[in-house]
Amino acid sequence: MNSSLLVRACRGEPTERPPVWFMRQAGRSLPEYRKLREGVPMLESCRRPDMVVEITLQPVRRYGVDAAIFFSDIVVPIKATGVDVEIQPGVGPVVAEPVRTRADLERIRPLEPDDVGFITESVQTLTRELGDTPLIGFAGAPFTVASYLVEGGPSRHHERTKALMHSDPDLWHDLLARVAQISGTFLQVQVAAGASAVQLFDSWAGALSKAEYQRFVLPHSAATLAGVTTVPKIHFGVGTSEFLPLLAEAGADVVGVDWRLPLDEAARRVPGRAVQGNLDPALLLADWSVVEAEVDRIVAEGRAAPGHVFNLGHGVLPTTNPDVLARVVEHIQG
Ligand code: CP3
């Protein structure tokens, strides 16, 4: 699997074209996904290897993408440690008892690989079924996961999270260290079972200043990634252009870039690293001539980096027409 286009691009080795996959390619806009998920709660589907395997394979079959992303969720490992969390349709993760005190934190135990045997089984089956297509494992970064734990659900301003990090830095660092252990173990389990690369999602880190990120978040994201040593690591955030070098410093081979920053400028900010991105997912709803011009621009700008993994700047929107994604893949693969 080391010779896959994805792994070569992640390692900054020359490739004839960028590999292409899409964040949130599994689920969301696919009718075959919606049909399979009927009547099965999100987090239950993540515990069922038959469903995980099928949903992970659906976009690979439909689009012919150069990588599969493991079907799971960033809250699956905290749920496996006993935290009462559900995913409400159209809303996101909701935590029954938010974490705001030391006593709350002490209820969250570390993750043992045996807690997620269903992950090992799913990844093992998938890597067999995928053949030459690499599987990307993933986890939520400590800040993004902690934001759900502290707020109790999705949040626009992350105000309780920010208040906690500044008011009680000791508790904050202990909470992030705990989440780093959980997300880190989750990544290691996926790698041990056969994942060819991993991505750490810090989707909400853009809510922070550079100074906050450096002091309150970076050491914990670095600890999460440090346990992965044998496969390439992609580190992605939204709205993180102002501190892109810190995402690299946390231990990434590949820095994920949202649509706000052109990839040639991103490459200048993280010298020596590969980049991933960065088509604005909203533009997939525009006319094809617009999409095509954007894809061509991004492929050209990506050549400024030692390696480029073509992706969106954030996840596929639920309103996306799957045929447009298929056309993007066809256009890049030629
Ligand atoms: O295609 C893939 O990328 C596969 C797996 C995947 C899911 N969630 C499945 C999912 C991945 C990589 C994630 C990561 C994730 N989960 C992130 C980081 C990525 C990002 O988009 O920023 C975050 C912040 C979450 C938390 C989460 N889970 C939210 C906010 C939501 C609700 C909003 C939504 O996407 O609909 C979920 C639910 C979720 N996770 C769904 C899927 C397919 C939708 C559930 C459903 O179909 O009912």
Side-chain angles (χ1 to χ4, degrees), residues 234-259:
I234 308 167
H235 193 181
F236 168 76
V238 181
T240 45
S241 306
E242 289 305 318
F243 47 86
L244 220 51
L246 299 181
L247 268 74
E249 190 186 319
D253 302 292
V254 186
V255 177
V257 183
D258 73 13
W259 62 90

Side-chain angles (χ1 to χ4, degrees), residues 93-139:
V94 176
V95 177
E97 293 177 80
V99 178
R100 299 189 186 150
T101 65
R102 186 153 295 275
D104 295 334
L105 167 59
E106 279 164 5
R107 292 197 320 264
I108 307 178
R109 66 168 175 82
L111 181 72
E112 311 278 347
D114 284 351
D115 296 324
V116 285
F118 58 93
I119 295 288
T120 299
E121 187 187 333
S122 302
V123 172
Q124 283 174 343
T125 309
L126 267 169
T127 47
R128 272 198 309 274
E129 299 222 351
L130 279 164
D132 291 339
T133 305
L135 177 70
I136 302 172
F138 77 93

Side-chain angles (χ1 to χ4, degrees), residues 154-170:
S155 165
R156 193 174 158 79
H157 301 294
H158 308 276
E159 58 267 50
R160 288 191 173 89
T161 312
K162 291 183 185 182
L164 176 68
M165 72 166 61
H166 285 278
S167 306
D168 194 344
D170 289 345

Side-chain angles (χ1 to χ4, degrees), residues 206-263:
L208 299 171
S209 70
K210 180 178 175 179
E212 286 172 320
Y213 183 84
Q214 187 152 29
R215 176 176 166 208
F216 293 115
V217 175
L218 189 153
H220 305 289
S221 294
T224 311
L225 287 168
V228 175
T229 54
T230 53
V231 301
K233 299 177 260 196
I234 308 167
H235 193 181
F236 168 76
V238 181
T240 45
S241 306
E242 289 305 318
F243 47 86
L244 220 51
L246 299 181
L247 268 74
E249 190 186 319
D253 302 292
V254 186
V255 177
V257 183
D258 73 13
W259 62 90
R260 293 175 178 90
L261 192 69
L263 289 183

Side-chain angles (χ1 to χ4, degrees), residues 5 20 62 65-66 101 154 156 169 174 184 190 199-200 208 226 229 241 254 275:
L5 198 58
V20 49
R62 191 192 260 259
V65 276
D66 297 302
T101 65
R156 193 174 158 79
D174 290 348
Q190 295 169 69
Q199 175 157 326
L200 191 65
L208 299 171
T229 54
S241 306
V254 186
V275 295

Side-chain angles (χ1 to χ4, degrees), residues 73-79 81 108-112 116 119 137-146 149 175-191 198-202 220-221 223-228:
D73 195 81
I74 60 170
V75 298
V76 164
I78 52 171
K79 173 113 178 162
T81 70
I108 307 178
R109 66 168 175 82
L111 181 72
E112 311 278 347
V116 285
I119 295 288
F138 77 93
F143 173 76
T144 290
V145 175
L149 288 171
L175 170 60
L176 262 72
R178 178 51 49 91
V179 178
Q181 187 282 334
I182 292 170
S183 282
T185 302
F186 191 58
L187 290 179
Q188 290 168 42
V189 164
Q190 295 169 69
V191 172
V198 295
Q199 175 157 326
L200 191 65
F201 282 94
D202 212 347
H220 305 289
S221 294
T224 311
L225 287 168
V228 175

